[in-house]
Amino acid sequence: QVQLVESGGGLVQAGGSLRLSCVVSGLAFSHYAMGWFRRAPGKGREFVAHIFTSAETTAYADSVKDRFTISRDNAANTVYLQMNSLKPEDTADYYCAAYSGVRNRYLENSYNYWGQGTQVTVSS
């Protein structure tokens, strides 16, 4: 059974930092590209960050570029999202997702598997 389990969310003040983790089981993790999406209340999922299987190429939404960093540890079957300089508009549920093959990394429909999410709240 494929499982993606996020953790690390919480409540922080603006300007603070959080590090999200997503532990993946049930698939060949090193063969899957990984992404982070977020969903604010009343909105759909928004692309946040992506990392390829090689971990040498990454992509970020303009809204988080230079503040967030995605990374992966294939030995630990884990993908991370380091979030710095957090803003209230970063408040959302954050989801880890995975896909294999050549796909559009910015589209949520590209991803085969999703975690249940972890909540991030940033206060001003």
Side-chain angles (χ1 to χ4, degrees):
Q1 182 179 2
V2 176
Q3 289 188 319
L4 286 70
V5 181
E6 302 97 333
S7 63
L11 173 65
V12 297
Q13 293 191 35
S17 297
L18 286 173
R19 182 161 121 132
L20 307 183
S21 299
C22 174
V23 179
V24 180
S25 61
L27 53 75
F29 179 74
S30 63
H31 295 170
Y32 281 76
M34 302 297 300
W36 287 95
F37 286 73
R38 65 187 182 186
R39 189 199 303 272
K43 299 182 179 180
R45 284 194 176 107
E46 174 192 22
F47 171 81
V48 175
H50 169 276
I51 187 165
F52 192 55
T53 55
S54 69
E56 296 179 352
T57 57
T58 58
Y60 300 92
D62 288 342
S63 59
V64 306
K65 190 174 183 179
D66 299 325
R67 298 190 298 118
F68 291 10
T69 302
I70 187 171
S71 61
R72 67 190 295 160
D73 182 349
N74 285 346
N77 292 341
T78 303
V79 62
Y80 304 94
L81 185 69
Q82 178 67 47
M83 305 185 295
N84 298 327
S85 302
L86 283 162
K87 304 175 181 179
E89 51 262 46
D90 295 318
T91 296
D93 291 330
Y94 283 73
Y95 298 86
C96 174
Y99 72 81
S100 64
V102 180
R103 301 187 180 188
N104 187 326
R105 59 190 172 181
Y106 302 102
L107 302 179
E108 62 178 307
N109 287 343
S110 295
Y111 294 79
N112 301 87
Y113 305 104
W114 293 84
Q116 294 299 305
T118 185
Q119 191 171 42
V120 172
T121 302
V122 184
S123 64
S124 59

